[in-house]
Amino acid sequence: MAFLKFTAPNIPAPTQEYQFTYFNQLIRQLNTYFNIHNSQAGLGVDNITAKILQLPYASYTAVNGSANNISLPAATFINIVGPTAAFTFTGLISGTTAENNGRALTLFNNTTQNMTLSNESVSSTAANRIVTCTGANIVTAGQGVVTLMYISASNAAVPTQVTSSRWVVVSSQL
C-alpha cells in the first residue's frame, strides 16, 4: 500500500479552534461506523495535525425530477446547483467499483429545492445504488448535506444493510 512508506512531516498540532472542525467530526463518524482507524492506511483522528485539509471540490448541475446513474465529477465535495423543482438521485457514477472502494463523497444541496436520495432504487445500476441504512429515502428540506462512502461488498467493514457494492450514507444534515 502506498501509505506504508509515507513519513509524515513534523507539523505542529492544530490550535484549540481547529479541534472540532467538520473534517474531524466526519472522520470520527467514519471511525465509529466503519472502524477505519484499524485499516492498513492507519487513518485516525489522532494523527491528523495539519490546520487545513483541502479536498477536491466541484459543482454538479442537477435537473428537476428523478435522475438515474448520474455521472459526478471526480471530487470529494460536490456543490449541487441548478434545479428549480424537487430532484431525486437514484444512483451515482464516479469511477469504477475498484476505484471507488472506500471513497468518501459529500453532496451539498446548494439550492432551495428538496433533494431526495433513493434507497436501493432499481432505476439505477446495482453498483451505483445508494443505501441509506434506514430502509427509506433521505430528503433534504432545501439546502442540506449528505456524506456517503462507497463500500465494496468484499470489504470487511460492510454494514449489514449492504449486500452488494453500494454508496452508503454515513452522515446527513437535512
Side-chain angles (χ1 to χ4, degrees), residues 39 53 61:
S39 73
L53 175 67
T61 303

Side-chain angles (χ1 to χ4, degrees), residues 101-119:
N101 191 22
R103 178 179 173 204
L105 175 66
T106 298
L107 301 176
F108 173 55
N109 178 15
N110 197 11
T111 75
T112 58
Q113 308 306 319
N114 292 354
M115 173 179 73
T116 300
L117 298 181
S118 290
N119 183 64

Side-chain angles (χ1 to χ4, degrees), residues 60 67-73 78 80 88-97 100 103 105-107 115-118 121 124-131 146-150 165-169:
Y60 175 79
N68 309 320
N69 298 314
I70 65 165
S71 185
L72 293 174
I78 309 291
I80 299 171
T88 300
F89 296 152
T90 66
L92 311 173
I93 301 173
S94 188
T96 66
T97 299
N100 283 332
R103 178 179 173 204
L105 175 66
T106 298
L107 301 176
M115 173 179 73
T116 300
L117 298 181
S118 290
S121 174
S124 281
T125 306
N128 299 335
R129 292 181 191 158
I130 300 164
V131 172
V146 179
T147 300
L148 306 99
M149 179 175 261
Y150 195 86
S165 299
R166 298 287 193 268
W167 287 100
V168 178
V169 174

